[in-house]
Amino acid sequence: MRAMQVTALGQPLELREVDTPTPGPNEVLVRIHTCGLNFGDTLIVKGTYQEKPQLPATIGMEMCGTIEATGTDVAHLKPGQRIAAYAGFGGLGEYAVLPANICVPIPDDMTEIDAAAFLVAYGTSHVALDYKARMQPGERLLVLGASGGVGLTAVELGKLMGAEVIACARGADKLKIASKAGADHLLDSDTCDLKTDVKALGGADVVYDPVGGDLFDAALRACNPEARLLPLGFASGSVPQIPANYLLVKNLHVLGFYWGGYMRVNPKVLTDSFEVLFGWYAEGKLKPHVSHVLPLADSNDGLDLLRTRKATGKVVIQVDG
């Protein structure tokens, strides 16, 4: 089988021929159709992600495929069934062996491109806003990086959940995409005074931040009393240092959030979220925004689109094309 692999940290992926794996107990063999790229994939290549693979490694955190074979003790999945999975690794290969308990059957009317663009982006935003922040209808949600893979879903879900959404992104074209996703207010991160402009809109009750750096600092100072801040990534390359005295004065809550970590500590949080999200998809309330679909051999180009922030929404690799 073909697979795009990290063979040396900091170097481009290599397209290699590797052995097709065999499923063991409680595992399934999946023929991969599509793989959604995530910013975390670029960090794995650099060697700066929180989980470091043994090299050579096939990356690709989320994927859609068809079950080819099941190992022993797998009863709820059958060959021929289409699934989506967040596995952390393995999506940029033609086949992958996955734990059966992380494979989620997808709706019949869901395309394989949508499925590969769905789990991480929508799952991250839904668990962050609903389970962690307990966001309520009528609250004001500030989304930083609002045109990116997770940011755009936070705009879309925030509006669906009844929030007043302030979208902050770089440039008019990206803000136009956030507007189509339902944003009520648009702020250009290149030209706005985030603290002043958000305060003028009434302040933020929830801050969704995959960016970090100076924007987090400004958003912190634009918060209303008892606001909740969700630092869930640092695309700017700068990890904020949060002044505890400011949290004290305004009774603010900073909620650390690593979506993938729930796979180990409390997977029911994710499966409950997927049930809600797939229901909304089936009702036509959610539609993944995919800016690029590329063949497997062009996976390095897809990662570059994420590094340079030229993508909006998701970049999907067509593995079986």
Side-chain angles (χ1 to χ4, degrees):
M1 59 171 258
R2 298 182 306 153
M4 292 294 288
Q5 292 194 320
V6 181
T7 58
L9 296 179
Q11 298 301 312
L13 303 178
E14 291 186 22
L15 183 61
R16 306 179 73 212
E17 290 285 339
V18 300
D19 293 337
T20 302
T22 301
N26 299 305
E27 294 180 332
V28 294
L29 175 66
V30 178
R31 176 167 54 90
I32 305 298
H33 302 309
T34 50
C35 174
L37 295 184
N38 292 275
F39 192 77
D41 292 312
T42 71
L43 301 181
I44 291 174
V45 174
K46 286 175 61 179
T48 59
Y49 195 62
Q50 52 259 42
E51 298 179 26
K52 294 179 172 56
Q54 183 177 350
L55 303 183
T58 303
I59 67 166
M61 295 183 174
E62 63 180 327
M63 60 211 74
C64 171
T66 298
I67 296 174
E68 292 280 299
T70 60
T72 58
D73 302 321
V74 177
H76 66 293
L77 298 172
K78 305 294 182 185
Q81 196 169 11
R82 293 194 312 154
I83 60 92
Y86 170 78
F89 296 91
L92 292 180
E94 292 178 314
Y95 292 87
V97 163
L98 305 175
N101 65 354
I102 69 168
C103 297
V104 183
I106 64 173
D108 290 340
D109 61 350
M110 179 175 267
T111 70
E112 288 155 2
I113 289 175
D114 278 359
F118 198 84
L119 292 187
V120 172
Y122 282 104
T124 296
S125 293
H126 183 249
V127 175
L129 297 177
D130 183 64
Y131 179 79
K132 292 291 287 189
R134 309 292 185 189
M135 189 176 71
Q136 300 300 308
E139 290 194 305
R140 195 169 295 106
L141 168 66
L142 170 62
V143 180
L144 306 180
S147 67
V150 293
L152 196 60
T153 61
V155 171
E156 189 177 4
L157 286 171
K159 191 63 178 176
L160 182 59
M161 294 166 68
E164 179 183 344
V165 181
I166 305 170
C168 180
R170 178 175 291 174
D173 290 341
K174 291 184 176 181
L175 287 172
K176 187 181 298 184
I177 292 169
S179 178
K180 289 180 180 178
D184 298 287
H185 310 285
L186 306 173
L187 298 177
D188 189 332
S189 59
D190 281 339
T191 59
C192 75
D193 181 331
L194 188 68
K195 172 186 170 183
T196 300
D197 292 347
V198 172
K199 279 190 167 185
L201 292 169
D205 301 306
V206 177
V207 175
Y208 182 100
D209 178 23
V211 179
D214 292 341
L215 287 178
F216 179 91
D217 295 337
L220 174 67
R221 286 159 175 79
C223 281
N224 293 326
E226 296 196 313
R228 289 86 74 205
L229 297 98
L230 295 150
L232 49 94
F234 313 106
S236 67
S238 175
V239 179
Q241 302 302 303
I242 302 169
N245 63 314
Y246 203 81
L247 305 182
L248 182 152
V249 170
K250 281 197 167 184
N251 287 302
L252 301 179
H253 308 265
V254 178
L255 306 170
F257 180 57
Y258 170 37
W259 180 82
Y262 282 101
M263 194 68 70
R264 292 184 297 274
V265 301
N266 191 355
K268 189 175 186 298
V269 170
L270 303 189
T271 55
D272 288 351
S273 174
F274 291 151
E275 184 176 351
V276 172
L277 292 169
F278 281 138
W280 283 343
Y281 180 92
E283 294 169 8
K285 294 178 179 178
L286 299 177
K287 176 60 180 173
H289 176 85
V290 177
S291 64
H292 296 80
V293 179
L294 302 173
L296 181 62
D298 292 346
S299 296
N300 285 307
D301 293 338
L303 294 174
D304 283 339
L305 289 168
L306 299 183
R307 291 188 191 101
T308 58
R309 303 186 192 181
K310 293 180 180 177
T312 56
K314 294 290 288 191
V315 175
V316 172
I317 301 301
Q318 187 80 48
V319 176
D320 63 356

